[in-house]
Amino acid sequence: MTTDLLSELNPEQQQAVSAPEKHLLILAGAGSGKTRVLVHRIAWLIEQERISPYGVLAVTFTNKAAHEMRHRVEAMLGMPTQGMWIGTFHGIAHRILRTHWQEAGLVQNFQILDSDDQLRVIKRVMRELHVDEKELAPRLAQWFINQNKDEGVRSQHCDDKGQSEHQWLRKIYEEYEIACQTGGMIDFAEMLLRVHELLRDQPQVLQHFQQRFQFILVDEFQDTNTIQYAWLKQLASDNATVMIVGDDDQSIYGWRGAKIENIHRFSKDFPDTRVIRLEQNYRSTSTILEAANAVIQNNDSRMGKELWTESEKGDPISVYRAFNEMDEARFIVDQIDSHHRLGTNYREQAILYRSNAQSRVFEEALLRARIPYRVYGGMRFYERAEIKDAMGYLRLISSRDDDSAFERVVNNPPRGIGEKTISEIRSHARGQRIPLWKAAQALVSDKVLTMRANNALVEFLTLIDNMAEHTNTLELHEQMDHVIHQSGLWKYISKTRSEKSKSRLENLEELVTAAKTFVPGDQLSELPKLSAFLSHAALEAGEGQANQSEDGVQLMTLHSAKGLEFPVVYLGGVEEGLFPSLRSIDSPEGLEEERRLCYVGMTRAMQKLYMCHAEVRRIHGREQYHRASRFIKEIPKELVAAVRLQTKVMRPQQSSSRATQLSTGINIPDTPFKLGQRVTHKKYGEGVILNFQGHGEHGSVLINFNSCGEKLMNLAYAKLEACV
């Protein structure tokens, strides 16, 4: 590489690549070319500073990012990167431990536990300790162990809070450590903690790596946790030069241990640090950037930067006020179709949302429109484990002969019906050629099981019968709610206090909403409503999702969208209580992270950004009224274009000296209402119909209420009455 290649970079990028300073903090805004800077910096050090390729340590967070960095360095230098220290935190840690396994107190052929393997070991430990999974969820123990390891805390150093549950968690952690050590196993959190302890306790190993790594580069530094930062400080000797690249405005993973304070304290821990801001954006229009800047500036704890671009101004931010979540989904799908007709591929359009549960309504709207889609980094709504668990109970209530449902729920959540008992049920069913349910009844009747297994099975059979009896006369959504709670699913998931468990509970709430709003289509209308809903869910689980190679709309949470970009982006559910989330509104730190999440979502858009909110949203089967999010209100008005109802109704032209008046007497198709008619609503009182969209109960009307001004309302739910 020669200095001529610096001409490809903008002035700030050039400074970051060629800076002679010892330590560098590169504040790299969204779409500012940070990967390019990292790659050029590595090449500069090797070719211009004559640093050995093996004296550079470059660390990032994902295998995909590490692979891309390796590939680009290889292409730029024209040499293989094999042997160079470029990888993820876990990849680098694994490499160190394979070399220094003895000093780290490991066996030479130690095995790595993935998340599922780790959970199995924890369950085994709990059984040996006689801890009932119904009282203490194994996933809670898993979360407790990993959280403490991320903080650098071993079991013997866990605080004793005096609570019975905490004492058991500490004991499980202690026994889990023994089990892993005995079995020659380490989990992912253990990798980083073990390297930290290796460098702390083995001075000769620490000295070896400090002498090896003259230059250390860390990407996505705002996402580092406690142990990762401690690890970095150990490796960075007095002779090492450290360059971190990150963006405090994109720190959105506090819920999984990321410490935004790491990037704030770096300059204190590494004196003489030079801060370089990469603010030129190569992704979005200037309107999108101005709007994102306006939102994020409301956060107090920022290091400060402002994105700008040489690109065109672009379209204003389109804000759509929907009546409810179905109207919101319909609008977004209509826009997707319009953009597609104008030449934008489906894969170039993304729907982003705060909660996984929101995907259900979007998926159904896309399926109705026959538009292919992919749920990025996750499963379709009806394929998610907790949804299939709840549906499994309903299926078994609907038909006791459903063997698949029986196997799914018989010990889910755990109720003491082990694999041995289930094997005996299967064997008896196979021998007698009867369903599993009848086989279980027979084994109970014949008392061939142990007393403990027999009692557990009786309890399960009684539970199903009781739920069937109690839900027989209930509405579908009430059946769903009853089953979710009486089966123990809700209580079991609630015990694991993690972001994932919160998401699973939100999905179950959305399932109740799905049941309440379910209307059987023509092909299912002859079935009982429960059977129709079960069939509907099964059909939707098997359709619609595009393959990797297909052109499909991208659906994902805002957290999953980080690092990605799309020409057209739709942010759904941008309303108070949902985004920002209800849990964060009363917490200054939580609210700032939510605002950073909004900033991340907005800056995914390259050409066009839509932000949508619903006045009424069904959550857990109940209607909730929400205001538009403060994030929308923080965008300057001149950057926003409110999307109005589209209608074919013609209005007469009026002179400029008078306000435009509505034509009255025009019928709204397939309804008893007319434009200009006065109506009354149970909550808002009297108002006048100003506009409409659609027809019949699926249509929406814009009403100017005396009490509160304009409201967009869906005729199926508004229950309007004509004023006499």
Side-chain angles (χ1 to χ4, degrees):
M1 178 179 176
T2 67
T3 53
D4 291 340
L5 287 179
L6 290 178
S7 62
E8 299 178 0
L9 309 175
N10 66 40
E12 291 74 26
Q13 291 174 334
Q14 290 177 8
Q15 292 174 35
V17 168
S18 61
E21 281 78 12
K22 187 169 185 180
H23 303 307
L24 294 170
L25 193 171
I26 311 300
L27 276 180
S32 63
K34 68 178 179 63
T35 303
R36 170 183 259 203
V37 167
L38 278 165
V39 170
H40 276 70
R41 176 68 172 175
I42 293 171
W44 177 272
L45 291 173
I46 293 171
E47 291 213 339
Q48 294 297 310
E49 303 293 341
R50 301 300 179 186
I51 301 299
S52 166
Y54 311 110
V56 177
L57 172 64
V59 189
T60 188
F61 271 82
T62 66
N63 289 319
K64 180 181 177 182
H67 177 77
E68 181 183 358
M69 194 180 297
R70 280 182 171 276
H71 176 75
R72 290 170 68 167
V73 168
E74 198 169 88
M76 185 168 289
L77 292 176
M79 58 174 281
T81 57
Q82 188 175 6
M84 289 182 65
W85 290 75
I86 299 175
T88 64
F89 274 100
H90 289 103
I92 298 295
H94 177 252
R95 187 171 172 181
I96 291 173
L97 293 177
R98 285 296 179 195
T99 305
H100 297 278
W101 56 271
Q102 279 184 306
E103 297 97 323
L106 296 169
V107 296
Q108 186 172 10
N109 61 339
F110 64 84
Q111 301 299 307
I112 300 172
L113 297 174
D114 63 18
S115 182
D116 289 340
D117 292 333
Q118 182 190 32
L119 189 61
R120 275 191 285 271
V121 175
I122 290 170
K123 287 181 176 180
R124 191 186 80 208
V125 166
M126 290 176 63
R127 284 195 298 271
E128 292 170 353
L129 290 173
H130 304 293
V131 178
D132 191 341
E133 291 186 24
K134 291 186 287 185
E135 300 300 323
L136 198 157
R139 289 193 181 277
L140 174 60
Q142 184 180 37
W143 168 82
F144 178 83
I145 291 168
N146 291 338
Q147 183 193 49
N148 276 285
K149 287 187 178 186
D150 286 345
E151 293 295 323
V153 179
R154 288 291 182 192
S155 60
Q156 65 268 30
H157 301 129
C158 289
D159 292 334
D160 188 355
K161 296 181 180 179
Q163 300 171 354
S164 175
E165 182 184 78
H166 190 274
Q167 291 173 351
W168 274 114
L169 288 170
R170 180 177 175 179
K171 182 64 176 175
I172 292 167
Y173 183 10
E174 181 182 348
E175 292 300 318
Y176 170 78
E177 287 182 304
I178 294 171
C180 287
Q181 190 67 26
T182 303
M185 303 173 292
I186 62 171
D187 55 53
F188 281 93
E190 181 72 20
M191 283 190 202
L192 299 184
L193 178 54
R194 191 65 68 111
V195 167
H196 169 68
E197 293 171 341
L198 170 68
L199 299 176
R200 181 195 66 195
D201 301 335
Q202 302 291 335
Q204 74 283 2
V205 177
L206 176 61
Q207 185 179 21
H208 165 77
F209 284 109
Q210 286 179 338
Q211 291 175 346
R212 171 185 284 274
F213 300 132
Q214 299 171 266
F215 287 83
I216 300 174
L217 303 91
V218 184
D219 192 14
E220 302 287 7
F221 192 78
Q222 76 280 349
D223 295 336
T224 54
N225 61 24
T226 299
I227 198 68
Q228 288 163 340
Y229 190 40
W231 195 68
L232 171 68
K233 289 197 294 183
Q234 287 175 308
L235 287 174
S237 66
D238 293 338
N239 298 321
T241 297
V242 180
M243 170 178 164
I244 66 167
V245 181
D247 183 2
D248 58 328
D249 289 336
Q250 295 190 72
S251 179
I252 59 173
Y253 297 120
W255 50 274
R256 69 181 189 196
K259 306 285 187 182
I260 190 173
E261 53 265 32
N262 287 351
I263 198 169
H264 292 156
R265 64 187 279 196
F266 180 82
S267 296
K268 296 179 182 178
D269 291 341
F270 293 84
D272 302 321
T273 293
R274 179 183 177 187
V275 178
I276 299 176
R277 289 172 170 80
L278 303 183
E279 297 172 303
Q280 183 173 358
N281 177 281
Y282 294 93
R283 174 188 299 154
S284 306
T285 65
S286 99
T287 294
I288 291 170
L289 295 182
E290 287 178 43
N293 285 334
V295 171
I296 200 63
Q297 282 170 3
N298 289 278
N299 274 2
D300 293 328
S301 55
R302 299 179 65 225
M303 301 186 74
K305 66 179 180 315
E306 186 158 337
L307 296 180
W308 62 275
T309 182
E310 293 179 345
S311 299
E312 60 182 9
K313 187 170 183 62
D315 294 337
I317 313 300
S318 292
V319 174
Y320 181 66
R321 183 181 69 183
F323 169 70
N324 59 19
E325 69 273 17
M326 290 176 288
D327 183 35
E328 175 187 61
R330 177 205 55 76
F331 168 78
I332 289 177
V333 169
D334 283 350
Q335 302 312 305
I336 289 171
D337 183 58
S338 295
H339 281 286
H340 186 256
R341 290 175 186 273
L342 293 173
T344 304
N345 292 329
Y346 288 135
R347 69 168 63 90
E348 296 176 318
Q349 305 185 64
I351 305 175
L352 312 183
Y353 35 81
R354 177 63 182 86
S355 163
N356 251 317
Q358 290 172 258
S359 80
R360 196 267 307 176
V361 179
F362 295 126
E363 289 184 59
E364 292 188 349
L366 289 164
L367 284 168
R368 284 194 298 270
R370 297 184 178 180
I371 294 175
Y373 69 91
R374 288 188 63 240
V375 179
Y376 182 91
M379 293 182 176
R380 288 169 286 183
F381 183 79
Y382 287 106
E383 288 183 345
R384 294 167 191 164
E386 60 276 10
I387 300 302
K388 295 179 80 171
D389 293 342
M391 299 295 282
Y393 278 100
L394 282 176
R395 284 167 51 196
L396 196 57
I397 288 172
S398 178
S399 171
R400 302 296 199 281
D401 294 345
D402 190 331
D403 284 353
S404 175
F406 182 95
E407 291 219 43
R408 184 168 193 95
V409 304
V410 65
N411 197 42
N412 183 14
R415 51 175 56 90
I417 302 175
E419 186 57 39
K420 183 179 179 182
T421 301
I422 296 172
S423 294
E424 290 191 47
I425 296 171
R426 289 194 196 104
S427 178
H428 189 74
R430 191 163 50 246
Q432 298 297 315
R433 297 183 180 275
I434 56 176
L436 294 173
W437 176 269
K438 291 180 179 177
Q441 288 179 316
L443 292 180
V444 165
S445 177
D446 295 341
K447 299 187 184 305
V448 298
L449 302 172
T450 65
M451 182 177 294
R452 181 178 179 183
N454 193 79
N455 290 341
L457 195 54
V458 167
E459 184 180 326
F460 170 70
L461 297 174
T462 304
L463 171 70
I464 299 299
D465 284 337
N466 286 343
M467 285 198 297
E469 180 181 350
H470 292 154
T471 61
N472 189 42
T473 58
L474 298 179
E475 294 291 332
L476 180 60
H477 71 281
E478 293 173 327
Q479 285 183 293
M480 185 69 72
D481 188 49
H482 183 88
V483 163
I484 286 170
H485 286 85
Q486 293 304 310
S487 65
L489 283 174
W490 185 273
K491 182 179 179 181
Y492 182 71
I493 296 172
S494 299
K495 288 181 179 179
T496 307
R497 295 181 289 274
S498 67
E499 193 71 18
K500 185 175 181 180
S501 68
K502 291 173 186 174
S503 177
R504 297 179 71 197
L505 293 176
E506 288 171 352
N507 285 336
L508 289 177
E509 288 184 330
E510 182 61 21
L511 186 59
V512 177
T513 299
K516 186 166 187 177
T517 58
F518 173 66
V519 178
D522 293 339
Q523 296 177 339
L524 302 174
S525 58
E526 300 300 319
L527 295 174
K529 199 165 186 181
L530 174 56
S531 298
F533 183 71
L534 293 172
S535 299
H536 162 78
L539 290 169
E540 291 220 344
E543 293 183 5
Q545 181 139 300
N547 296 324
Q548 290 281 358
S549 58
E550 283 186 88
D551 182 26
V553 176
Q554 308 293 302
L555 272 66
M556 66 193 73
T557 63
L558 284 151
H559 284 100
S560 298
K562 187 169 177 291
L564 304 176
E565 59 183 35
F566 305 93
V568 184
V569 167
Y570 308 87
L571 298 187
V574 190
E575 56 212 47
E576 292 291 301
L578 183 59
F579 189 36
S581 69
L582 198 59
R583 296 189 299 271
S584 68
I585 287 177
D586 296 327
S587 163
E589 297 81 9
L591 184 57
E592 291 210 348
E593 181 152 325
E594 291 285 295
R595 188 174 279 111
R596 293 194 293 269
L597 192 56
C598 183
Y599 174 80
V600 166
M602 294 174 73
T603 54
R604 298 312 93 194
M606 301 167 69
Q607 299 165 8
K608 180 65 183 176
L609 174 63
Y610 293 85
M611 300 178 77
C612 304
H613 64 99
E615 290 192 347
V616 181
R617 189 174 295 273
R618 279 182 173 76
I619 298 177
H620 201 53
R622 296 186 297 272
E623 287 187 353
Q624 295 188 10
Y625 292 81
H626 291 151
R627 301 191 311 275
S629 171
R630 66 193 72 192
F631 303 149
I632 291 178
K633 297 176 182 178
E634 289 168 356
I635 302 173
K637 291 182 179 179
E638 63 270 18
L639 301 178
V640 172
V643 179
R644 302 299 182 188
L645 281 172
Q646 299 296 316
T647 178
K648 295 180 180 178
V649 175
M650 300 299 293
R651 301 180 182 183
Q653 296 294 319
Q654 303 290 335
S655 64
S656 58
S657 62
R658 297 181 60 194
T660 301
Q661 301 293 319
L662 274 174
S663 286
T664 59
I666 298 175
N667 290 324
I668 299 175
D670 300 329
T671 76
F673 302 110
K674 301 177 181 180
L675 281 182
Q677 183 177 2
R678 295 198 64 81
V679 293
T680 184
H681 182 268
K682 185 176 181 181
K683 179 177 180 180
Y684 300 120
E686 283 194 17
V688 62
I689 299 176
L690 301 180
N691 209 335
F692 75 90
Q693 174 177 273
H695 57 86
E697 67 172 12
H698 300 294
S700 299
V701 290
L702 185 66
I703 303 174
N704 186 20
F705 287 103
N706 299 339
S707 62
C708 57
E710 292 184 5
K711 292 282 182 183
L712 179 65
M713 314 203 82
N714 186 290
L715 288 169
Y717 305 103
K719 298 180 180 178
L720 299 172
E721 294 182 4
C723 292
V724 179

